[in-house]
């Protein structure tokens, strides 16, 4: 059972990265106004080669690195990692940060200049909090209280609506890690209905549509990213939902093999996973404080 849980944690995190890398070449495109993506492709928007991740993965890596280095939760340290990424390209696939949303950029400046750990307004309901959820979800797994997840979300997107989406996605992934396919259905019945924008609410529903419309990690991922629009984040959110259900071994090796710095990323994910599994083994308490 522990091995299966570990595989689902790893699948969730790697699913995020794979979805981000696959979806980035066609982000900002209208639905079906782009070539179909089936493999890792270069991203003309940011002039990156195949397998280079964007802000979705970078911010998730920043969260994970803090947990692994400190062996505990420290919101201010995670916030500082966000600033290191924003200023210096820490855990970016390029020597600089890129693909930064306006709300996130403003939040990083507020953290840096005013040490402000709650940023954003209710109207700012972008999907930045759910694109990077995996590491915080993993470390909080088993805890009925979602305070940690809300606090990390609020670093950039202080919104009641976003917190509700974080809670919804957490419940979905909780079911999946426990081996139960979520009963939570997308608001969209058909592909034509799917809103592919960067709104947190629609991004989660777009990912859920792809998950329920298919029967494998790969098929669902291709359905998700080829929606276009905010395709990297739709892919990252789908990857987390599907990875936590199908597990790491369901992610195609042909995609994993093309991701930049795969060994470095895998070391970080494995270290986070080990930290969590050790905490669960020690006390039966699934959280790390």
């Amino acid at each position: 059972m522990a091995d299966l849980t570990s595989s689902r944690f790893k699948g969730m995190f790697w699913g995020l990265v794979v979805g981000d890398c696959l979806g980035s070449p066609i982000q900002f495109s209208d639905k079906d106004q782009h070539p179909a993506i089936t493999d890792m492709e270069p991203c003309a928007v940011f002039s990156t080669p195949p397998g280079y991740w964007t802000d979705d993965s970078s911010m998730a890596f920043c969260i994970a690195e803090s947990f692994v280095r400190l062996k505990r939760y420290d919101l201010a340290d995670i916030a500082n990692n966000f600033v290191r990424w924003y200023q210096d390209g820490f855990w970016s696939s390029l020597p600089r940060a890129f693909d930064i949303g306006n709300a996130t950029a403003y939040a990083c400046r507020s953290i840096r200049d005013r040490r402000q750990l709650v940023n954003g307004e209710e109207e700012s309901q972008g999907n930045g909090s759910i694109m990077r959820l995996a590491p915080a979800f993993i470390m909080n797994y088993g805890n009925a209280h979602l305070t940690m997840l809300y606090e990390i979300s609020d670093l950039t997107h202080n919104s009641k609506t976003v917190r509700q989406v974080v809670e919804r996605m957490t419940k979905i992934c909780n079911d999946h890690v426990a081996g139960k396919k979520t009963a939570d259905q997308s608001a969209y019945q058909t592909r034509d209905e799917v809103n592919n924008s960067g709104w947190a609410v629609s991004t989660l529903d777009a990912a859920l549509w792809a998950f329920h419309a298919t029967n494998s990690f790969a098929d669902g991922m291709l359905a998700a990213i080829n929606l276009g629009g905010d395709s990297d984040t739709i892919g990252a959110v789908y990857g987390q939902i599907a990875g936590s259900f199908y597990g790491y071994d369901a992610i195609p090796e042909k995609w994993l093999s093309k991701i930049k710095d795969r060994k470095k990323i895998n070391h970080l994910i494995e270290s986070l996973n080990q930290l969590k599994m050790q905490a669960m083994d020690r006390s039966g308490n699934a959280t790390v404080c």
Side-chain angles (χ1 to χ4, degrees):
M1 184 62 183
D3 288 345
L4 194 54
T5 299
S6 179
S7 173
R8 287 171 172 152
F9 286 156
K10 187 174 179 180
M12 182 180 185
F13 206 152
W14 266 114
L16 183 167
V17 180
V18 167
D20 178 19
C21 292
L22 281 169
S24 65
I26 56 172
Q27 64 175 306
F28 312 127
S29 62
D30 293 334
K31 195 185 298 180
D32 296 327
Q33 299 301 308
H34 55 78
I37 297 290
T38 60
D39 205 348
M40 295 289 172
E41 301 286 349
C43 177
V45 178
F46 300 111
S47 300
T48 53
Y52 276 52
W53 62 89
T54 74
D55 58 327
D56 303 47
S57 300
S58 290
M59 298 189 83
F61 296 152
C62 285
I63 296 167
E65 191 277 341
S66 177
F67 277 114
V68 169
R69 173 168 43 83
L70 297 179
K71 306 286 191 293
R72 59 183 174 81
Y73 170 52
D74 187 322
L75 182 65
D77 190 74
I78 292 170
N80 186 59
N81 272 359
F82 285 178
V83 174
R84 292 175 67 192
W85 161 69
Y86 176 70
Q87 286 193 155
D88 306 320
F90 181 61
W91 273 103
S92 177
S93 61
L94 294 176
R96 56 177 175 80
F98 65 99
D99 196 19
I100 306 171
N102 292 334
T104 296
Y106 182 84
C108 287
R109 291 192 295 271
S110 295
I111 294 166
R112 179 192 64 195
D113 299 339
R114 297 187 290 278
R115 301 309 303 163
Q116 190 167 304
L117 299 183
V118 176
N119 296 285
E121 300 175 352
E122 183 55 42
E123 307 84 63
S124 178
Q125 297 175 8
N127 51 25
S129 295
I130 57 173
M131 73 184 188
R132 64 186 192 232
L133 185 66
F137 168 88
I138 291 167
M139 298 311 294
N140 198 65
Y141 179 72
N143 186 356
H145 301 289
L146 305 187
T147 304
M148 178 196 297
L149 305 187
Y150 295 150
E151 287 178 346
I152 295 174
S153 174
D154 285 351
L155 284 173
T156 56
H157 292 76
N158 175 32
S159 159
K160 179 182 177 181
T161 297
V162 171
R163 285 191 291 274
Q164 290 171 342
V165 178
V166 167
E167 180 179 2
R168 184 184 175 199
M169 185 167 165
T170 297
K171 289 178 179 177
I172 292 166
C173 294
N174 274 334
D175 283 347
H176 286 179
V177 173
K180 176 185 176 183
K181 187 173 185 178
T182 183
D184 192 336
Q185 297 291 318
S186 172
Y188 307 122
Q189 300 291 311
T190 67
R191 186 176 185 275
D192 287 344
E193 294 177 8
V194 177
N195 176 350
N196 62 9
S197 76
W199 185 34
V201 175
S202 63
T203 295
L204 181 53
D205 273 314
L208 270 177
W209 169 82
F211 178 72
H212 285 298
T214 57
N215 293 303
S216 72
F217 180 93
D219 288 348
M221 179 61 78
L222 296 181
I225 61 170
N226 281 295
L227 290 166
D230 203 3
S231 49
D232 59 331
T233 299
I234 294 172
V237 173
Y238 168 83
Q240 291 173 83
I241 290 171
S244 62
F245 180 73
Y246 293 112
Y248 174 73
D249 290 340
I251 303 175
E253 174 62 24
K254 69 174 183 176
W255 293 343
L256 291 165
S257 66
K258 295 177 183 175
I259 292 179
K260 180 181 187 287
D261 293 336
R262 179 184 180 182
K263 289 184 179 179
K264 178 183 175 182
I265 294 169
N266 198 59
H267 178 72
L268 178 67
I269 293 175
E270 290 281 15
S271 297
L272 184 82
N273 212 352
Q274 184 178 33
L275 180 66
K276 177 62 177 181
M277 299 307 293
Q278 287 174 345
M280 293 172 70
D281 288 344
R282 277 197 307 270
S283 65
N285 181 351
T287 63
V288 170
C289 301

